Amino acid sequence: MLRTIFFFVTFIPWTLFVIFTGVPLSFLSPDYLHNYARFWAQVGLRLAGVRLSAEGQQHLQQGQPVIYMPNHQSNFDILALFASLPGQFRWLAKEELFRIPLFGFAMRRSGYIPIDRSDRKKSMLSMKEAARRISEGASVIVFPEGTRSMDGKLLPFKKGGFMLALQAGVPVVPVAITGSRDINPKHSRWIQGGHIQVRIFPPVAAGQQAAADRDAFMEAVRHPIATAVGE
């Protein structure tokens, strides 16, 4: 309980400080605000008493845009990915997050992309915008499950992110996150200290073979994540 109180008493002011001091940097370049957000996440993990370890960065080719696809167990996945993935990337996130005062404005200034899942047409337009960003050299993060898992087991993967990979012609990088659910499960306000591990796997190419057999493409991304989380 004390850890939870300490986290929210310190993390909320820290977040507001980063927004107010960081958003002006976005008028120079969204990259500056993204780098500041990485520092925000590192401090946030420390405030929660969370240790982070990451491996597999050697699988990534510098300058190659990719679509990262991690599993999703906790809100702390956001902080863990910010703090562990190298280089610049942009988030595809549900539109509701962009409506949060200040926070949503900072997300837009960072170049993150809202997805309106209640409207298929708007969702397709969001995917086209994401493909455009990727063609300009930006990597993108998509949670293929679409939401957090209640019990830590992988949910069925949605097809949107894989269609985006085929449309943009870039590899998909599977990412496995373990430990985050123990720190803050879905629908829980309590925070436990602990250890989050992020494992980055070799990219899965989205070529002609993947387009011909989308199910096999999805399974090639899902399999290493499922193995890492113990399924």
Side-chain angles (χ1 to χ4, degrees):
M1 180 176 178
L2 290 177
R3 184 185 298 277
T4 302
I5 294 172
F6 174 79
F7 176 75
F8 285 111
V9 166
T10 55
F11 183 69
I12 292 175
W14 167 238
T15 299
L16 292 174
F17 174 81
V18 169
I19 290 174
F20 281 116
T21 59
V23 165
L25 296 175
S26 69
F27 290 94
L28 300 175
S29 168
D31 292 356
Y32 289 124
L33 186 53
H34 179 85
N35 291 334
Y36 200 4
R38 190 189 309 278
F39 179 57
W40 163 79
Q42 292 168 345
V43 172
L45 291 172
R46 292 185 176 225
L47 293 174
V50 174
R51 293 178 294 109
L52 175 68
S53 60
E55 60 181 76
Q57 290 93 337
Q58 72 275 10
H59 298 308
L60 302 175
Q61 181 180 342
Q62 187 174 4
Q64 166 69 60
V66 299
I67 297 177
Y68 293 105
M69 288 198 182
N71 60 312
H72 199 11
Q73 299 183 346
S74 166
N75 284 326
F76 276 82
D77 296 338
I78 308 296
L79 301 181
L81 292 168
F82 258 129
S84 60
L85 294 181
Q88 290 285 319
F89 54 84
R90 301 293 178 259
W91 296 86
L92 263 70
K94 55 186 179 181
E95 189 194 21
E96 300 93 284
L97 295 176
F98 291 81
R99 298 174 188 163
I100 300 174
L102 296 178
F103 186 76
F105 179 68
M107 291 179 68
R108 292 186 187 278
R109 291 303 310 167
S110 298
Y112 304 154
I113 305 164
I115 300 292
D116 186 351
R117 289 180 289 190
S118 66
D119 187 309
R120 179 175 176 81
K121 183 177 180 180
K122 290 182 179 179
S123 179
M124 294 300 295
L125 289 174
S126 298
M127 288 298 180
K128 288 183 179 180
E129 174 63 14
R132 184 186 70 79
R133 301 277 182 89
I134 293 170
S135 69
E136 294 175 351
S139 295
V140 169
I141 293 183
V142 178
F143 286 114
E145 297 166 282
T147 188
R148 287 168 289 164
S149 169
M150 285 289 295
D151 57 7
K153 295 181 180 179
L154 282 181
L155 300 173
F157 280 11
K158 298 182 181 298
K159 298 177 181 178
F162 296 92
M163 297 300 294
L164 173 61
L166 293 171
Q167 181 179 353
V170 297
V172 172
V173 176
V175 180
I177 305 172
T178 53
S180 62
R181 182 177 175 274
D182 295 332
I183 291 162
N184 180 232
K186 186 175 181 178
H187 298 320
S188 174
R189 296 180 181 179
W190 303 110
I191 295 171
Q192 304 288 332
H195 176 221
I196 296 177
Q197 184 178 32
V198 176
R199 294 181 61 186
I200 303 169
F201 294 96
V204 179
Q208 292 182 349
Q209 183 176 357
D213 192 347
R214 188 175 57 193
D215 290 341
F217 179 34
M218 293 173 69
E219 180 57 27
V221 173
R222 182 186 175 90
H223 179 71
I225 301 175
T227 301
V229 300
E231 295 187 16

